[in-house]
Amino acid sequence: MADRPPVRDWATDFDHTDPTWVADPYPIWDELRQACPVAHSDRYGGAWLPTRHADVAAIAYDTDDFTSRSVVVTEYRPPNLAPRGIAPPITSDPPFHQGARRMLLPLMSPQVIAKWEPSTREYCQSLVHELAGREVVDAATEYAQHIPVRVIARMLGFPEDDADRFRGFVHHVLEDVTLPLELRLPGMQELFEYLRDQVKDHIDNPRDDLTTALLNADMGGEVADLSHVGGTIALLLLAGIDTTWSAIGASIWHLASHPEDRDRLVKEPDLLPTAVEEFLRAYAPVTMARLVKHDMDWHGCPMKEDDWILLSFPAANRDPEFFVDPDEVIIDRTDNRHAAFGLGIHRCAGSHLARMELRVALEVFLDAFPVFHLDDPAAVKWSAGQVRGPRTLPVHIG
Ligand code: HEM
């Protein structure tokens, strides 16, 4: 990651890649919510950061004033590929967005996802089997990381041995965001070529998998063109891997540092689905971006065309005006309308898959290691960028 000057003032100079934010963003958002709920920064060519749930929701629902043309904040502005954007439906605006989303939703329904649960469980069990007998393991890189990669590779019908390459693509697109464009392009090109080859192979040899289903899916009465399908597949790889890895890792981190919650889940496994929602709320991994469509005064903020909005669903989830005791993790919290999967028309299309992976990953880990704790809290490292989760997580399981 390129060197960046330290943040001078969070209200006027914020940077989500600053080491202080990366280590612990919650106090920053708390302070901003009280002092300056929509912060501004000249970095990245101009960016705004709403920290209250009401403001995050208002922007997420407002597709007239904000575009999803790019959802990752970088130093440059992406080309205008409207109405589709590079990775439909996440980069598409209405009205195109609706068809692109409808083409995907039936392929990610609860019924479809339920079919993947047994093989996901089996895979998680094989991972804990490998770890058993060791004293300290890295639960981020030796456990959480592998699960979503394997599941999505199987669903798409891609070679499972390419897992390391997928992780490389994801890291490049979502974490190397401060690199200049000329250093970001070759990685994007590699992803594009990889997907082109996979899609071609599926056209030549159709089979019963998600890639073939997308190639044949109905997009407003016809099949989508190849670059649309390629963009959606890229999105599924990028949207499904770091996000779920982060959610599994953050949940294990919580349980490794809160033995009372860990013990309770071991004794009351039926509570797991409720606890999963609370982990998603409290440690929501995904922050999205929007671009301002035109100059305007937005509730007193002088927004300019092409300013970024860093749309922090994680900050919304910690707003005391929306949640009681938001900084407390209450694993049996029942009233939990969290925004971890987003709000509005772009709400996560993979939420059933993500929830299944998260629940199964935790169930299997708790079953194999009912007593575990952080080996060295200071050694835990969190990712920088818009997807937050532990990337080094040494846990004592022995
Ligand atoms: C815990 C894991 C996950 C979290 C927290 C998460 C979060 C999100 C969020 C916040 C959005 C909204 C984007 C926006 O408003 O711009 C989103 C959209 C999306 N997610 Fe997820 N996601 C997760 C896992 C997945 C998985 C596993 C997949 C599929 C493999 C997936 C596929 C998508 C897609 C396709 C969209 C775009 C939907 C649209 O634009 O209509 N996500 N996700």
Side-chain angles (χ1 to χ4, degrees):
M1 188 155 296
D3 278 341
R4 304 182 63 79
V7 166
R8 287 176 285 105
D9 175 342
W10 289 104
T12 57
D13 182 42
F14 73 83
D15 188 337
H16 59 302
T17 65
D18 186 274
T20 309
W21 174 306
V22 173
D24 187 10
Y26 306 108
I28 300 172
W29 301 336
D30 284 345
E31 195 187 303
L32 286 175
R33 227 179 268 114
Q34 287 168 28
C36 174
V38 185
H40 181 262
S41 180
D42 287 330
R43 296 177 190 233
Y44 303 98
W48 300 88
L49 168 69
T51 50
R52 288 191 302 216
H53 187 285
D55 292 334
V56 171
I59 294 174
Y61 282 105
D62 179 355
T63 54
D64 291 332
D65 294 319
F66 302 96
T67 166
S68 284
R69 208 171 91 217
S70 175
V71 286
V72 182
V73 171
T74 56
E75 291 291 352
Y76 66 100
R77 299 302 183 269
N80 191 348
L81 301 175
R84 182 169 75 201
I86 199 156
I90 211 165
T91 54
S92 318
D93 288 330
F96 183 89
H97 169 266
Q98 193 180 47
R101 182 176 169 90
R102 281 196 182 152
M103 159 181 156
L104 187 59
L105 285 184
L107 306 174
M108 309 294 284
S109 69
Q111 295 75 5
V112 170
I113 297 310
K115 291 196 202 127
W116 290 95
E117 183 165 333
S119 60
T120 304
R121 181 176 314 257
E122 228 169 80
Y123 182 60
C124 292
Q125 282 162 342
S126 75
L127 290 173
V128 294
H129 185 74
E130 289 285 309
L131 302 178
R134 303 238 315 264
E135 217 165 283
V136 178
V137 301
D138 187 332
T141 57
E142 295 184 287
Y143 186 65
Q145 181 179 43
H146 295 291
I147 299 160
V149 182
R150 173 66 70 109
V151 175
I152 197 68
R154 277 190 186 160
M155 287 177 72
L156 286 167
F158 288 4
E160 289 175 13
D161 292 346
D162 287 348
D164 282 342
R165 293 188 70 185
F166 302 160
R167 280 194 292 271
F169 298 142
V170 172
H171 178 84
H172 184 73
V173 175
L174 295 179
E175 292 190 30
D176 286 344
V177 291
T178 58
L179 290 180
L181 184 58
E182 60 275 18
L183 293 180
R184 279 175 62 77
L185 280 179
M188 308 255 191
Q189 184 65 18
E190 203 196 325
L191 169 62
F192 172 77
E193 283 166 14
Y194 177 83
L195 293 179
R196 190 195 51 201
D197 293 348
Q198 291 298 331
V199 167
K200 182 168 182 316
D201 183 46
H202 278 76
I203 293 171
D204 295 343
N205 309 289
R207 38 213 196 246
D208 180 17
D209 61 25
L210 185 51
T211 303
T212 302
L214 282 169
L215 283 165
N216 296 321
D218 175 59
M219 170 72 198
E222 41 193 66
V223 293
D225 64 55
L226 281 186
S227 61
H228 180 152
V229 175
T232 299
I233 294 175
L235 169 61
L236 293 177
L237 270 185
L238 298 173
I241 294 182
D242 256 26
T243 50
T244 314
W245 168 21
S246 299
I248 299 170
S251 308
I252 294 181
W253 173 80
H254 176 88
L255 294 173
S257 40
H258 295 79
E260 65 291 357
D261 287 345
R262 186 204 61 209
D263 290 348
R264 187 161 174 212
L265 287 180
V266 169
K267 279 198 209 96
E268 299 174 52
D270 289 351
L271 192 58
L272 203 50
T274 311
V276 158
E277 295 310 310
E278 179 65 345
F279 296 145
L280 282 166
R281 181 195 68 80
Y283 306 117
V286 178
T287 294
M288 280 288 130
R290 298 289 186 266
L291 284 165
V292 174
K293 274 191 178 171
H294 43 81
D295 293 2
M296 64 178 157
D297 181 290
W298 195 84
H299 302 279
C301 300
M303 295 185 174
K304 296 266 169 294
E305 182 179 351
D306 272 356
D307 277 353
W308 291 110
I309 305 290
L310 191 60
L311 199 55
S312 178
F313 298 115
N317 279 353
R318 296 281 188 133
D319 183 351
E321 276 192 31
F322 201 81
F323 291 98
V324 179
D325 296 330
D327 289 328
E328 267 180 56
V329 178
I330 303 169
I331 60 169
D332 57 3
R333 191 189 285 268
T334 43
D335 186 9
N336 195 354
R337 286 178 303 124
H338 66 73
F341 289 118
L343 296 163
I345 63 165
H346 291 281
R347 200 180 167 283
C348 183
S351 63
H352 304 300
L353 174 60
R355 284 187 164 118
M356 182 277 279
E357 292 184 43
L358 186 50
R359 178 175 47 76
V360 169
L362 294 180
E363 231 170 73
V364 171
F365 198 83
L366 283 163
D367 192 40
F369 313 118
V371 179
F372 60 92
H373 56 88
L374 289 182
D375 183 55
D376 171 10
V380 177
K381 298 261 172 323
W382 295 79
S383 54
Q386 286 176 225
V387 180
R388 176 179 168 77
R391 294 294 176 264
T392 308
L393 181 56
V395 169
H396 206 283
I397 54 166

